[in-house]
Amino acid sequence: MASPRCCKVPGETHKPWIETSYHGVITENMDTVLLDPPLVALDKDAPVPYAGEICAFKIYGQDAPFEAVVLNHTSGEGVLRASSPVDCESQKEYTFIIQAYDCGAGPSGNDWKKSHKAVVHIQVDDVNEFSPVFREPLYKASVTEGKIYDSILQVEAWDQDCSPQYSQICNYEIVTTGTPFAIDRNGNIRNTERLSYDKQQSYKIMVTAFDCGQKRAKEDVAVHIDVKPVCKPGWQGWNKRVDYEPGTGSKQLFPKMHLETCDGPLSGVRVMVELQTSHIGKGCDRETYSEKSLQKLCGAASGSTDLLPAPSLSTNWTLSLLTDSGRDSDLIYRFDGHQAANVPDHVVPQNLTDQFTIATWMKHGPSPGLRAEKETLLCNSDKTEMNRHHYSLYVHNCRLVLLLRRDFTQVDTFRPAEFHWKLEQICDKEWHYYVINVEFPAVTLFVDGVTYEPYLVTDDWPIHTSKIDTQLTVGACWQGGEVATPRFTQYFHGSLSGLTIRPGRIETQKVISCLQACKEGLDINSLESLAKDIKFHFNPAQSVLVVEGEDVDSINTAMTKVSYINSRQFPTPGLRRLHITTTVQCFGEDTCLLIPDIKAVVMVLPPSEPRITIAGSNRLVRPAGDLRGPLGVAPFKELHITSTVMKGDSFAHRPGVMEVMHNLDYCDILVIGEELNPERESLEIHHSALLGKHLDATNSTSGISIYGVDSMAHYEQALRQVRYRNWQPATLTDRKFRLTCSELNGRYTSNEFNMEVTFKCFIHCISTLLQPPLIVCFPSSPAGAAPPAATVVIVVCIAALVVIVVIGVYRIHATHQEGTREDEEEVREPEVDWENSALTITVNPMEVMLKEEHEEEEEEDEEQVGEMIGAESDNTDEDEEEEEEEEVKEREQKGTPEWDSSSITY
């Protein structure tokens, strides 16, 4: 009998029912479809088993990557899902047919009934999985300088995403910062300011893009924008900065520079190149040696007096003045209207004579007020009682005035007394070198080497002679009379350096040019290669060069040869400004093209600083007799002076030490401790040691100063000939000196070299059977504790004395046994006197009888001990003989017996 489901059940007559259409959404790369309405099939045969149940959904469509699955047979619920990955970029939507099937008449599935066909429309939602990509790997464009563009070029990017939200480019952005460009939403690039070819010839900017989902381009794109110059007259191909390395000689400033005239017909070109160095030192890079050293170097006559020297113990009148520091060792004094200095009387030249020279560096500006007061550089006036100005140099309303009042003893007629010069340099706030040569009644002024005659000369009566002392003042004038309290007046406002006065002689043009010469300036290389139509000339300082020509190509060639040169071995580092002005003339016109000025700089790099080293033996031990000799001793005989700089290896970039040769400008030997006593010692250098050299020397009880610009070798030779003498060496045990040397007035200084000169103790022994030993030991140290070196000497002397005395006692005892009693009674006991401060030794008077024998034995002793023991017979010095005789007499008066060959007591 068949199962109830095997047979057709009565009433199974209905088809499943579904909606006629469905709309669904699926996100790409997902499998779940959201349908509207939900997928549900109904069957009116329910609840009949099988016939009223839903068994399947079938999809009809070409390659539809979907499947329908029944979730509940009874309720007819189902779900639509992707059977394979769905990609929006491949297909954005799908349309297919779906039908529902019931379970038929029984388990076998026979007689299934299907629903009507329903249309399913599926839309694939996009995912922002792709980044924008630019269509070109590189964009290029060019613009003309000076224009503002709405759009220079357009960049374009695209996106592979399928949806408008993710496939559209919503924004572009310039990644490079600080560029004069902007970009809009459509990729159009424009400039935000006028571009200049001279400023920058090309730009490279990076651009990125964003889609509407704010996904950034995976790779930015480069945009090259070239700036094309507008043809405009001007210099091209020059650098704003030129580096100059010290010691390289002449360096071209504009090796590739040329003048662009836009093909205009020209009749002439005039170019002026100006090197601006007013901020360097005193107007330019000059030698910064001391005034004395410079005058010696330039061959100036001796006898000048430096009224503004460097402050020291001997030149202390400048201690209270303000100095302008940081000027590369230049000694500059700044006067603000409140400082002045009285020059000591022993420094002031007593008689200027009819010929003399006043020289100074001066930097001065306009005086404040409508009626400015006199500003005095130097003034010689009455010290007390009266207020007469004998001579002075002052500035008044930008005029330089020299006042020179003669004495009645020199002249008794109305004579020239005031000499006036009116020059722009006096109040231009720049450094200038002023030299006034007086050959009375003629007076000539030199400013930076250029001669100027006075525009006004006024006469006056001579000054009556009096016994009133005068006072020379720098920076003001001393008013010692006609006021309640003596004071300074007519203060100077400005800066001074190297103020000197030389009586008896005037300075030559050659020396003046040398003293104010600049060591840097402009130059032209290969003059012979210049075209014949080129004309050029320099100013005296070579800071201004003017080049003129008719042909532009010739001018271009000439300008490429303009150079900068600095002849100093150690120049002042820093900027030097260049200013170039150009004037162009056309045919029939005065000027036709305007050429912009050029402003550039020369950067002088810092030089390698030298390290000056003084080396040699630090101690000199000599017998006291050598110090009493006519030549004394040479403490620095083994001296060596070297100088080294650090140099980098251009290949390995490793620093190394290289020895260099350069000049020195002074070496000072300073006495350490008590100053020299002129009555018994001296430190000096003979004038012959300075001959043939640019050197001079001054000495005092404090030491010796050798000065002048000369080579290290010449300084070495001179220092080796410095002699120290001491004709009373018994008063000291040693002398200490300290030596230092300098280059460029203290800009570079050496190490401190200490030298100690020690006086040896002299021991001389005569050991014979017939006489006791002779012992002479000097010097004796002064009262008080003996220095360490003297103590060692004394100990050695005492030890030698003890040994010799013991031997002597033994031999005397033997002699005593053989001698007679009468001889013993004749002997008076000697007495040895010991002092706390030193050892005093009595000399046997038999030395007078054995003089020749002593001298022979002294020579033998010297040969045996070499330099360790020096010998000199006491009776070679008459003063010492007298002292010895007096000492013997004193001992006889005190009852102290003399020594003889038979007896000694100690």
Side-chain angles (χ1 to χ4, degrees), residues 103 107 150 193 275 367 396 438 507 514 685 697 793 847 859 895:
C103 293
D150 293 332
E193 62 183 49
L275 179 68
S367 304
H396 188 212
V438 177
E507 208 60 271
C514 175
I685 181 171
V793 173
E847 180 185 7
E859 294 176 356

Side-chain angles (χ1 to χ4, degrees), residues 147-215:
K147 293 180 62 178
I148 297 292
Y149 290 82
D150 293 332
S151 177
I152 298 175
L153 79 160
Q154 183 182 25
V155 297
E156 185 180 0
W158 66 285
D159 197 312
Q160 297 182 33
D161 289 314
C162 63
S163 63
Q165 179 183 1
Y166 298 136
S167 64
Q168 290 184 358
I169 307 300
C170 285
N171 191 25
Y172 291 92
E173 184 178 311
I174 295 177
V175 179
T176 308
T177 59
T179 60
F181 299 98
I183 190 170
D184 61 15
R185 296 170 59 92
N186 297 321
N188 293 303
I189 298 177
R190 60 183 177 85
N191 57 320
T192 57
E193 62 183 49
R194 299 182 189 277
L195 305 180
S196 171
Y197 176 82
D198 295 334
K199 181 179 180 181
Q200 191 167 342
Q201 291 81 35
S202 64
Y203 294 86
K204 178 182 178 182
I205 60 177
M206 301 301 294
V207 177
T208 191
F210 295 88
D211 62 19
C212 293
Q214 293 304 305
K215 195 174 187 67

Side-chain angles (χ1 to χ4, degrees), residues 507-572:
E507 208 60 271
T508 64
Q509 177 78 47
K510 180 179 179 180
V511 171
I512 294 173
S513 299
C514 175
L515 289 173
Q516 60 91 37
C518 287
K519 294 298 180 178
E520 63 179 341
L522 299 173
D523 193 15
I524 292 184
N525 293 334
S526 305
L527 294 176
E528 63 279 358
S529 63
L530 297 181
K532 295 182 179 179
D533 64 321
I534 293 295
K535 299 178 182 178
F536 67 92
H537 61 272
F538 293 92
N539 68 334
Q542 282 193 221
S543 60
V544 177
L545 167 64
V546 177
V547 181
E548 296 178 297
E550 300 176 356
D551 181 63
V552 175
D553 292 337
S554 299
I555 289 290
N556 289 338
T557 302
M559 290 301 294
T560 60
K561 298 183 181 300
V562 176
S563 305
Y564 169 82
I565 188 171
N566 194 316
S567 60
R568 292 189 68 189
Q569 189 173 6
F570 305 107
T572 303

Side-chain angles (χ1 to χ4, degrees), residues 768-771 807-830 900-905:
T768 64
L769 295 175
L770 299 178
Q771 64 180 30
I807 297 174
V809 169
Y810 173 76
R811 300 187 67 86
I812 291 171
H813 179 69
T815 305
H816 172 72
Q817 296 296 329
E818 297 174 359
T820 62
R821 189 69 179 175
E822 289 77 16
D823 293 332
E824 286 182 329
E825 293 177 356
E826 292 177 0
V827 177
R828 287 174 294 181
E829 293 182 358
D900 62 11
S901 60
S902 61
S903 176
I904 184 168
T905 302

Side-chain angles (χ1 to χ4, degrees), residues 431-587:
W431 280 105
H432 299 284
Y433 187 55
Y434 298 82
V435 178
I436 298 177
N437 274 346
V438 177
E439 289 183 289
F440 195 79
V443 178
T444 304
L445 171 67
F446 293 85
V447 181
D448 298 332
V450 180
T451 306
Y452 297 93
E453 297 297 331
Y455 81 96
L456 175 65
V457 179
T458 59
D459 296 342
D460 202 348
W461 289 102
I463 293 179
H464 291 277
T465 57
S466 67
K467 296 182 179 180
I468 301 175
D469 294 332
T470 59
Q471 175 64 60
L472 181 61
T473 307
V474 176
C477 204
W478 178 253
Q479 187 172 358
E482 302 178 359
V483 290
T485 303
R487 59 185 175 87
F488 290 113
T489 185
Q490 300 177 5
Y491 283 99
F492 179 71
H493 296 77
S495 298
L496 297 176
S497 179
L499 177 59
T500 61
I501 186 169
R502 176 184 288 107
R505 296 189 63 174
I506 61 172
E507 208 60 271
T508 64
Q509 177 78 47
K510 180 179 179 180
V511 171
I512 294 173
S513 299
C514 175
L515 289 173
Q516 60 91 37
C518 287
K519 294 298 180 178
E520 63 179 341
L522 299 173
D523 193 15
I524 292 184
N525 293 334
S526 305
L527 294 176
E528 63 279 358
S529 63
L530 297 181
K532 295 182 179 179
D533 64 321
I534 293 295
K535 299 178 182 178
F536 67 92
H537 61 272
F538 293 92
N539 68 334
Q542 282 193 221
S543 60
V544 177
L545 167 64
V546 177
V547 181
E548 296 178 297
E550 300 176 356
D551 181 63
V552 175
D553 292 337
S554 299
I555 289 290
N556 289 338
T557 302
M559 290 301 294
T560 60
K561 298 183 181 300
V562 176
S563 305
Y564 169 82
I565 188 171
N566 194 316
S567 60
R568 292 189 68 189
Q569 189 173 6
F570 305 107
T572 303
L575 291 176
R576 275 74 164 164
R577 303 190 184 278
L578 290 167
H579 187 203
I580 301 177
T581 56
T582 308
T583 304
V584 176
Q585 293 182 341
C586 298
F587 293 98

Side-chain angles (χ1 to χ4, degrees), residues 232-234 259-266 582-586 589-596:
K232 57 183 180 181
L259 180 63
E260 178 62 60
T261 60
C262 298
D263 299 326
L266 307 178
T582 308
T583 304
V584 176
Q585 293 182 341
C586 298
E589 300 181 25
D590 293 336
T591 59
C592 55
L593 295 177
L594 295 178
I595 307 298

Side-chain angles (χ1 to χ4, degrees), residues 257-372:
M257 188 169 73
H258 62 279
L259 180 63
E260 178 62 60
T261 60
C262 298
D263 299 326
L266 307 178
S267 62
V269 180
R270 183 180 186 271
V271 184
M272 183 174 70
V273 184
E274 182 181 3
L275 179 68
Q276 299 174 348
T277 60
S278 59
H279 62 290
I280 301 295
K282 296 191 290 286
C284 70
D285 211 0
R286 295 181 169 92
E287 296 293 6
T288 56
Y289 295 115
S290 65
E291 199 63 30
K292 281 188 176 181
S293 297
L294 278 176
Q295 291 179 358
K296 187 78 174 177
L297 182 65
C298 292
S302 60
S304 67
T305 300
D306 191 356
L307 301 181
L308 286 175
S312 66
L313 294 178
S314 59
T315 57
N316 56 5
W317 69 89
T318 58
L319 284 172
S320 61
L321 301 181
L322 298 178
T323 57
D324 194 354
S325 59
R327 289 284 188 174
D328 189 25
S329 299
D330 269 353
L331 185 59
I332 295 173
Y333 289 96
R334 181 166 52 88
F335 297 85
D336 60 1
H338 299 88
Q339 291 84 27
N342 284 330
V343 182
D345 293 340
H346 69 274
V347 178
V348 180
Q350 298 302 314
N351 185 12
L352 290 183
T353 72
D354 286 341
Q355 287 188 342
F356 64 92
T357 300
I358 299 176
T360 186
W361 287 95
M362 182 176 73
K363 180 180 180 181
H364 182 264
S367 304
L370 297 177
R371 296 181 58 84

